Amino acid sequence: MNQDFRARVFVPLMLPVGALAAFGLFAFSLSRIFLAISSVGAVFLALLVASYVLVLAGMVAARPHVSSQALGIGLVVAMVGVTAAGAAGAAAGIRPIEHEEEHAAEAGAEGETGAEAPEGALVFVAVDIDFEQAPETGEAGEVTFFLDNQGAALHDVTVEEAGDTLVVEADGGETGTGTLELAAGAYTYYCSVPGHRAAGMEGTLEVQ
């Protein structure tokens, strides 16, 4: 390979390709580690990697004339360490993420929703974005509304014919209770969170 070709084509081409390949290997190895360890460990590792990068950046900023050899050694050490750990993580396999999430969701539901619907209450079950369960009829008088929000977003129950009164609301994974005096007739209820009614979170309640 002649010097002119190396200087004009080979080096300018190989440097970015090599850097891109190194970055891809680093990212892939890091992802294997994150998928193999617990969520707490993943957070700790992310903080550790960020700290290492900040330390290197601080060294370069504090000492503009730091040798490229010293900087290269620091980067190579990080690359080798992460690549080796990534290979070990890939060999260990991915932790059962879905099982962990389901367990956490069940635990959260038990902890938060300890509240049960009052006797005789109209029960609304909200998900993202829908009323999965909603009453069709109710009795006139002081009506109790119970909202079980099993989704992630805020939801509420608002009654249009009662002056668009927001009767009850609940954040994701929570429950709420509210009351409203209703006479006999047909009422339209909906979720007043922007965009939710347009997405189909509404229905009709017949009060007798």
Side-chain angles (χ1 to χ4, degrees):
M1 180 183 299
N2 62 59
Q3 292 297 326
D4 185 63
F5 177 80
R6 181 176 181 179
R8 290 173 176 265
V9 179
F10 185 74
V11 173
L13 178 63
M14 291 308 297
L15 280 178
V17 170
L20 185 61
F23 178 78
L25 178 61
F26 182 86
F28 177 78
S29 299
L30 199 58
S31 69
R32 296 307 94 186
I33 302 172
F34 285 146
L35 290 173
I37 62 179
S38 66
S39 56
V40 175
V43 172
F44 177 78
L45 178 61
L47 292 174
L48 187 62
V49 171
S51 299
Y52 190 83
V53 172
L54 289 175
V55 168
L56 284 180
M59 289 176 59
V60 173
R63 300 181 179 179
H65 301 295
V66 64
S67 68
S68 58
Q69 182 179 6
L71 183 60
I73 290 174
L75 293 174
V76 168
V77 168
M79 175 65 73
V80 171
V82 171
T83 302
I94 299 175
R95 71 179 187 275
I97 299 175
E98 293 183 359
H99 177 70
E100 288 181 2
E101 291 177 344
E102 290 174 1
H103 179 72
E106 291 173 0
E110 292 175 0
E112 126 306 277
T113 65
E116 294 183 357
E119 185 177 352
L122 301 181
V123 178
F124 295 78
V125 178
V127 295
D128 295 331
I129 300 175
D130 186 28
F131 281 120
E132 189 175 73
Q133 175 185 327
E136 296 181 354
T137 60
E139 296 183 0
E142 187 178 67
V143 180
T144 299
F145 289 67
F146 179 82
L147 174 60
D148 181 4
N149 187 352
Q150 297 181 5
L154 172 71
H155 291 303
D156 65 56
V157 178
T158 299
V159 179
E160 187 172 58
E161 286 76 14
D164 292 308
T165 299
L166 191 158
V167 185
V168 59
E169 67 177 3
D171 285 319
E174 297 183 0
T175 61
T177 304
T179 58
L180 183 65
E181 191 75 27
L182 294 177
Y187 294 86
T188 301
Y189 62 83
Y190 62 93
C191 178
S192 66
V193 176
H196 288 198
R197 184 178 188 179
M201 292 193 73
E202 67 176 346
T204 302
L205 173 68
E206 293 287 344
V207 177
Q208 302 169 350

